[in-house]
Amino acid sequence: INTALVENWLIPLSILLTALFNLFWNKQERPLMWLKYSIATIFGLVHGAAFSNQLSQLLTNNSKDWFENAHKASETSIVMPLFAFNVGIEVGQVLIIGVLLFLSVIFVNTLKTKPFTWTTFLSGIAFGVSLSILLERTLQ
């Protein structure tokens, strides 16, 4: 998959569309749930493609050093680099989600911000950042 297409366009576009979806279709209506799940699946595949490109580069560029240090006996094994990469991705995601959930508890439960307002605020930030990235990459 074309790395530039995925990382420069599809990921920011997926974030932008998700933010728009949250801003304009924030209701939990059953008829729209299949659409939300379909969009989430497609965007998950796009983001997975970016991660696979990063992993491919990591394995190609650092495979000799990694394998010599980790497993001298089996230089063709990708189990440990793949495991380390995935654990790193998951830990990063859990940290980001943890911070957002902590902030959500503070704003929604402690400061009594309406959940709709909080979702709109976060979606607005995501929309602005992703639009900025798309415009910057378009004008380069």
Side-chain angles (χ1 to χ4, degrees):
I1 296 174
N2 185 337
T3 305
L5 174 68
V6 171
E7 293 179 8
N8 293 337
W9 295 97
L10 293 179
I11 288 179
L13 181 64
S14 71
I15 295 168
L16 183 117
L17 292 176
T18 302
L20 283 174
F21 200 91
N22 286 340
L23 289 169
F24 293 108
W25 293 289
N26 199 15
K27 298 175 184 159
Q28 293 294 324
E29 298 175 14
R30 278 285 191 218
L32 292 179
M33 292 308 288
W34 71 269
L35 182 60
K36 287 183 179 184
Y37 290 138
S38 298
I39 291 171
T41 300
I42 292 167
F43 291 164
L45 291 172
V46 168
H47 289 250
F51 287 136
S52 71
N53 286 333
Q54 292 298 321
L55 178 61
S56 175
Q57 288 178 347
L58 176 74
L59 291 175
T60 302
N61 295 337
N62 297 324
S63 62
K64 187 175 180 183
D65 295 337
W66 177 272
F67 293 125
E68 284 178 4
N69 295 332
H71 293 289
K72 291 189 182 218
S74 65
E75 290 189 355
T76 59
S77 174
I78 65 164
V79 173
M80 287 306 294
L82 182 60
F83 179 75
F85 182 81
N86 284 325
V87 167
I89 294 294
E90 295 303 323
V91 167
Q93 289 177 348
V94 167
L95 288 174
I96 290 169
I97 296 298
V99 168
L100 287 175
L101 286 175
F102 178 73
L103 290 173
S104 294
V105 167
I106 290 173
F107 279 94
V108 173
N109 294 342
T110 307
L111 300 176
K112 304 299 181 200
T113 304
K114 294 179 183 177
F116 177 78
T117 304
W118 178 246
T119 301
T120 303
F121 174 73
L122 288 180
S123 296
I125 290 173
F127 176 82
V129 169
S130 59
L131 181 63
S132 173
I133 291 170
L134 279 171
L135 290 174
E136 176 185 317
R137 292 177 181 172
T138 300
L139 300 174
Q140 281 185 342

Coordinates of all heavy atoms in Angstrom, one line a residue, residues 1 6 10-15 17-18 35-53 86 89-90 93:
I1 N 0.9 -1.2 0.0 CA 0.0 0.0 0.0 C 0.9 1.2 0.0 O 1.9 1.3 0.7 CB -0.9 0.0 1.2 CG1 -1.9 -1.2 1.1 CG2 -1.7 1.3 1.3 CD1 -2.7 -1.4 2.3
V6 N -1.5 6.6 2.5 CA -2.1 6.2 3.8 C -1.8 7.2 4.9 O -2.7 7.7 5.5 CB -1.6 4.8 4.2 CG1 -2.0 4.5 5.6 CG2 -2.1 3.8 3.3
L10 N -5.1 9.4 4.0 CA -6.2 8.6 4.5 C -6.4 8.7 6.0 O -7.5 8.7 6.5 CB -6.0 7.2 4.0 CG -6.2 6.9 2.5 CD1 -5.9 5.4 2.2 CD2 -7.5 7.4 2.0
I11 N -5.3 8.7 6.8 CA -5.4 8.8 8.2 C -6.0 10.1 8.6 O -7.0 10.2 9.4 CB -4.1 8.5 8.9 CG1 -3.8 7.0 8.8 CG2 -4.1 8.9 10.4 CD1 -2.5 6.5 9.4
P12 N -5.5 11.3 8.2 CA -6.1 12.5 8.6 C -7.6 12.6 8.1 O -8.4 13.2 8.8 CB -5.3 13.6 7.9 CG -4.0 13.0 7.7 CD -4.2 11.5 7.5
L13 N -7.8 12.1 6.9 CA -9.2 12.1 6.4 C -10.1 11.3 7.2 O -11.3 11.7 7.5 CB -9.2 11.7 4.9 CG -10.6 11.7 4.2 CD1 -11.1 13.1 4.1 CD2 -10.5 11.0 2.9
S14 N -9.7 10.1 7.7 CA -10.5 9.3 8.5 C -10.8 10.0 9.8 O -11.9 9.9 10.3 CB -9.8 7.9 8.7 OG -8.7 8.0 9.6
I15 N -9.8 10.7 10.4 CA -10.1 11.4 11.7 C -11.0 12.5 11.4 O -12.0 12.8 12.2 CB -8.7 11.9 12.2 CG1 -7.9 10.7 12.7 CG2 -9.0 12.8 13.4 CD1 -6.4 11.0 13.0
L17 N -13.4 12.8 9.1 CA -14.7 12.3 8.9 C -15.4 11.7 10.1 O -16.6 11.9 10.4 CB -14.7 11.2 7.8 CG -14.4 11.7 6.4 CD1 -14.3 10.5 5.4 CD2 -15.4 12.7 5.9
T18 N -14.6 11.1 11.0 CA -15.1 10.6 12.3 C -15.5 11.8 13.1 O -16.6 11.8 13.8 CB -14.0 9.8 13.0 OG1 -13.6 8.7 12.2 CG2 -14.5 9.3 14.3
L35 N -23.8 1.8 10.2 CA -23.0 2.7 9.4 C -21.7 3.1 10.3 O -20.6 3.1 9.8 CB -23.8 4.0 9.0 CG -23.0 5.0 8.2 CD1 -22.5 4.4 6.9 CD2 -23.9 6.2 7.9
K36 N -22.0 3.4 11.5 CA -20.8 3.7 12.4 C -19.9 2.6 12.5 O -18.6 2.8 12.4 CB -21.3 4.1 13.8 CG -22.0 5.4 13.9 CD -22.4 5.7 15.4 CE -23.1 7.0 15.5 NZ -23.4 7.4 16.9
Y37 N -20.4 1.3 12.6 CA -19.5 0.2 12.7 C -18.7 -0.1 11.4 O -17.6 -0.4 11.4 CB -20.3 -1.1 13.1 CG -20.7 -1.0 14.6 CD1 -22.0 -1.5 14.9 CD2 -19.9 -0.6 15.6 CE1 -22.4 -1.4 16.2 CE2 -20.3 -0.5 16.9 CZ -21.6 -1.0 17.2 OH -22.0 -1.0 18.5
S38 N -19.4 0.1 10.3 CA -18.8 0.0 9.0 C -17.7 1.0 8.8 O -16.6 0.6 8.3 CB -19.8 0.1 7.9 OG -20.8 -0.8 8.0
I39 N -17.9 2.2 9.2 CA -16.9 3.3 9.0 C -15.7 3.0 10.0 O -14.6 3.1 9.6 CB -17.5 4.7 9.3 CG1 -18.5 5.0 8.2 CG2 -16.4 5.7 9.5 CD1 -19.3 6.3 8.4
A40 N -16.0 2.6 11.2 CA -14.9 2.2 12.1 C -14.1 1.1 11.6 O -12.9 1.1 11.8 CB -15.5 1.9 13.5
T41 N -14.7 0.1 11.0 CA -14.0 -1.0 10.4 C -13.0 -0.6 9.3 O -11.9 -0.9 9.2 CB -14.9 -2.1 9.9 OG1 -15.7 -2.6 11.0 CG2 -14.2 -3.3 9.3
I42 N -13.6 0.2 8.4 CA -12.8 0.7 7.3 C -11.6 1.6 7.8 O -10.5 1.4 7.3 CB -13.6 1.5 6.3 CG1 -14.6 0.6 5.6 CG2 -12.8 2.3 5.3 CD1 -15.7 1.3 4.8
F43 N -11.9 2.5 8.7 CA -10.8 3.3 9.3 C -9.8 2.5 10.0 O -8.6 2.8 10.0 CB -11.4 4.4 10.1 CG -12.2 5.5 9.3 CD1 -13.0 6.3 10.0 CD2 -12.1 5.6 8.0 CE1 -13.8 7.3 9.3 CE2 -12.8 6.5 7.2 CZ -13.6 7.4 7.9
G44 N -10.3 1.5 10.7 CA -9.3 0.6 11.4 C -8.4 -0.1 10.4 O -7.2 -0.2 10.7
L45 N -8.9 -0.5 9.3 CA -8.0 -1.1 8.2 C -7.0 -0.1 7.7 O -5.9 -0.4 7.5 CB -8.9 -1.7 7.1 CG -9.7 -2.9 7.5 CD1 -10.7 -3.2 6.3 CD2 -8.8 -4.1 7.8
V46 N -7.5 1.2 7.5 CA -6.6 2.2 7.0 C -5.4 2.5 8.1 O -4.3 2.5 7.7 CB -7.3 3.5 6.8 CG1 -6.4 4.7 6.6 CG2 -8.2 3.4 5.6
H47 N -5.8 2.6 9.3 CA -4.8 2.8 10.4 C -3.9 1.6 10.5 O -2.7 1.7 10.7 CB -5.4 3.2 11.7 CG -6.0 4.5 11.7 ND1 -5.5 5.6 12.4 CD2 -7.1 5.0 11.0 CE1 -6.2 6.7 12.2 NE2 -7.2 6.4 11.3
G48 N -4.5 0.4 10.4 CA -3.6 -0.8 10.4 C -2.6 -0.9 9.2 O -1.5 -1.4 9.4
A49 N -3.1 -0.4 8.1 CA -2.1 -0.3 6.9 C -0.9 0.6 7.3 O 0.2 0.3 6.9 CB -2.9 0.2 5.7
A50 N -1.2 1.7 7.9 CA -0.1 2.6 8.3 C 0.8 1.9 9.3 O 2.1 2.0 9.2 CB -0.6 3.9 8.9
F51 N 0.3 1.2 10.3 CA 1.1 0.5 11.2 C 1.9 -0.6 10.6 O 3.0 -0.9 10.9 CB 0.2 -0.1 12.4 CG -0.3 0.9 13.3 CD1 -1.6 0.9 13.8 CD2 0.5 1.9 13.8 CE1 -2.1 1.8 14.6 CE2 0.1 2.9 14.7 CZ -1.2 2.8 15.1
S52 N 1.3 -1.3 9.6 CA 2.0 -2.4 8.9 C 3.2 -1.8 8.1 O 4.2 -2.4 8.0 CB 1.1 -3.2 8.0 OG 0.7 -2.5 6.9
N53 N 3.0 -0.6 7.5 CA 4.1 0.0 6.8 C 5.2 0.4 7.7 O 6.4 0.2 7.4 CB 3.6 1.3 6.1 CG 2.8 1.0 4.8 OD1 2.9 0.0 4.2 ND2 1.9 1.9 4.5
N86 N 3.8 -4.5 18.4 CA 2.3 -4.5 18.8 C 2.1 -4.1 20.3 O 1.2 -3.4 20.6 CB 1.7 -5.9 18.6 CG 1.5 -6.1 17.1 OD1 1.1 -5.2 16.4 ND2 1.6 -7.3 16.6
I89 N 2.4 -0.3 20.4 CA 1.2 0.3 19.8 C 0.1 0.3 20.8 O -0.6 1.3 21.1 CB 0.8 -0.3 18.5 CG1 1.8 -0.1 17.4 CG2 -0.6 0.1 18.1 CD1 2.0 1.3 17.0
E90 N -0.1 -0.9 21.4 CA -1.2 -1.1 22.4 C -1.0 -0.2 23.6 O -1.9 0.4 24.2 CB -1.4 -2.5 22.7 CG -1.8 -3.4 21.6 CD -3.1 -2.9 20.9 OE1 -4.0 -2.4 21.6 OE2 -3.2 -3.0 19.7
Q93 N -1.8 3.3 22.8 CA -3.3 3.5 22.7 C -3.9 3.5 24.1 O -4.8 4.4 24.4 CB -3.9 2.4 21.8 CG -3.5 2.6 20.4 CD -4.1 1.5 19.5 OE1 -4.6 0.5 20.0 NE2 -4.0 1.7 18.2

